[in-house]
Amino acid sequence: MQFNGLSQPYTRGQALPELLKQRILILDGAMGTMIQQYKLGEADYRGLPTNTRFAGHPGDIKGNNELLVLTQPQIISKIHEQYLDAGADIIETNTFGATSVAQEDYKMAGLAREMNEVSAKLARAACEKYSTPDKPRFAAGAIGPTPKTASISPDVNDPGARNVTFDALRASYREQIEGLFAGGVDLFLVETIFDTLNAKAALFALDEFFEETGERLPVMISGTVTDASGRILSGQTVEAFWNSLRHIKPLTFGLNCALGAALMRPYIAELSRICDAAVSCYPNAGLPNPMSDTGFDETPDITSSLVDGFAKDGLVNLVGGCCGTTPDHIRAIANAVAKRKPRAFYRENTEESV
């Protein structure tokens, strides 16, 4: 078998290309939004009183959601199961910020490998619980952008300054990838990309891992358009973004987060026109609203209606939700697009749409 021009077949997640031909697949919603509903305090993040492992850790760690796979794993598992019950085909590991680069902010860089492996095991167990022969479920290893950028100076007075190097990012991502793979993920998702150079470091690390291990997992890529200019933060249009990364031959390529579905539409339409991969879209629930329970404006009915518009017009192959979306949003999206056909997309070096 050959997928997307790759010389090797996938060693995990083999069913995904065929499923993308058959129907629009559903990704889960926002892990962070669901964690916020628990209103966890500093002691909760440390796992107290039952877990004393981090009782004496210096500095505040409230807000380190990735740590919860070690201190409150039952919460993470429950959230996974809620999204699966809502109809998600693919759930993301709770590892958006589980790199040593990101965990330096909490003085927990040394825990990154463990966080990724444990998180992958939790997601994999939830998938196994909900999988059926007719509806298999998949765990995606979530690889976030880190809070640092390799392309942009953090100092307005020194355009050449950088707070991270490509090699440091590559090494950090490699550690994350190894942990996710060991924990059992079916595919990798490099997401919320605002700096293409950061993404290239993650994808380079993935390519190295595949080359050295002989494994080959599907890779999903998702960027974020940060404003109405239609560009990601490091300055590329969505067309330039696609052309910068298409050599990876991702299974899916798309956009998430940022603007919400209504403002995303022209950029998703552009990707749909130019991509020879499946197109993904998982927007925020509109714009931020601190008065809302989820922190965002849109109800499930609104978000699902907008996403269904993409599906109706044949623009997408995989949909879900980002910030502000809950299991109710995902259920509404799944129900809405169930009647739609997936977008036809083209494989490199073939003339046949799939």
Side-chain angles (χ1 to χ4, degrees):
M1 289 183 291
Q2 188 157 323
F3 302 129
N4 229 17
L6 293 173
S7 59
Q8 292 177 260
Y10 293 135
T11 54
R12 294 184 187 174
Q14 296 95 331
L16 283 166
E18 185 63 30
L19 288 172
L20 284 164
K21 296 180 190 178
Q22 297 171 4
R23 59 187 175 85
I24 296 173
L25 296 188
I26 307 298
L27 187 67
D28 62 2
M31 175 63 72
T33 296
M34 294 301 291
I35 289 172
Q36 288 173 13
Q37 310 306 307
Y38 285 86
K39 303 187 186 306
L40 304 175
E42 180 71 23
D44 300 307
Y45 273 88
R46 291 175 184 267
L48 300 173
T50 56
N51 184 337
T52 59
R53 177 180 177 184
F54 302 104
H57 186 82
D60 294 337
I61 57 177
K62 180 181 177 181
N64 188 0
N65 288 346
E66 290 73 23
L67 179 64
L68 295 175
V69 301
L70 304 180
T71 60
Q72 302 284 353
Q74 73 286 352
I75 290 177
I76 304 305
S77 292
K78 183 176 180 180
I79 293 170
H80 283 324
E81 293 185 11
Q82 287 176 297
Y83 281 123
L84 290 164
D85 186 66
D89 297 291
I90 302 171
I91 57 171
E92 298 182 48
T93 56
N94 181 39
T95 53
F96 185 84
T99 54
S100 58
V101 168
Q103 287 296 317
E104 285 174 1
D105 290 347
Y106 296 100
K107 301 181 176 65
M108 290 186 164
L111 295 172
R113 175 64 164 73
E114 181 184 3
M115 287 177 177
N116 283 282
E117 183 168 351
V118 172
S119 188
K121 288 178 178 177
L122 293 176
R124 182 70 254 150
C127 287
E128 289 173 2
K129 181 176 178 178
Y130 277 80
S131 287
T132 66
D134 293 336
K135 192 173 174 66
R137 312 301 180 98
F138 302 90
I143 299 174
T146 84
K148 298 184 178 181
T149 172
S151 293
I152 302 170
S153 172
D155 183 355
V156 294
N157 297 312
D158 185 0
R162 296 292 184 269
N163 58 11
V164 71
T165 66
F166 182 91
D167 284 341
L169 286 169
R170 180 190 59 78
S172 181
Y173 281 129
R174 176 60 185 264
E175 180 183 43
Q176 180 173 42
I177 290 160
E178 290 176 351
L180 290 169
F181 182 82
V185 297
D186 302 293
L187 65 154
F188 293 102
L189 170 55
V190 182
E191 65 172 343
T192 321
I193 298 165
F194 60 81
D195 183 340
T196 306
L197 191 56
N198 284 42
K200 282 180 176 287
L203 295 167
F204 188 85
L206 275 168
D207 201 45
E208 279 188 323
F209 177 78
F210 292 153
E211 184 71 23
E212 293 172 15
T213 63
E215 299 288 346
R216 182 72 62 173
L217 277 63
V219 175
M220 297 166 57
I221 297 175
S222 185
T224 182
V225 173
T226 53
D227 58 40
S229 71
R231 298 172 183 269
I232 66 172
L233 188 63
S234 56
Q236 288 183 310
T237 63
V238 293
E239 182 175 7
F241 178 54
W242 159 248
N243 283 315
S244 292
L245 301 178
R246 63 182 301 180
H247 65 282
I248 298 297
K249 296 180 171 57
L251 179 65
T252 71
F253 194 93
L255 300 173
N256 72 288
C257 198
L259 302 174
L263 296 177
M264 262 189 192
R265 185 180 177 91
Y267 314 121
I268 290 296
E270 177 71 358
L271 287 177
S272 180
R273 183 182 67 82
I274 63 177
C275 282
D276 60 11
V279 168
S280 66
C281 178
Y282 53 110
N284 288 349
L287 298 174
N289 178 1
M291 302 302 291
S292 165
D293 288 341
T294 63
F296 286 79
D297 272 332
E298 292 176 0
T299 64
D301 286 346
I302 295 172
T303 303
S304 62
S305 176
L306 291 167
V307 172
D308 184 42
F310 298 168
K312 179 183 177 182
D313 293 338
L315 302 180
V316 291
N317 303 97
L318 181 145
V319 294
C322 203
C323 304
T325 59
T326 66
D328 287 340
H329 287 79
I330 299 307
R331 182 174 285 105
I333 289 170
N335 290 339
V337 305
K339 60 184 178 293
R340 307 297 183 191
K341 292 182 179 180
R343 163 186 168 271
F345 58 100
Y346 293 82
R347 293 301 188 196
E348 194 168 347
N349 301 323
T350 76
E351 296 179 355
E352 296 181 3
S353 63
V354 297

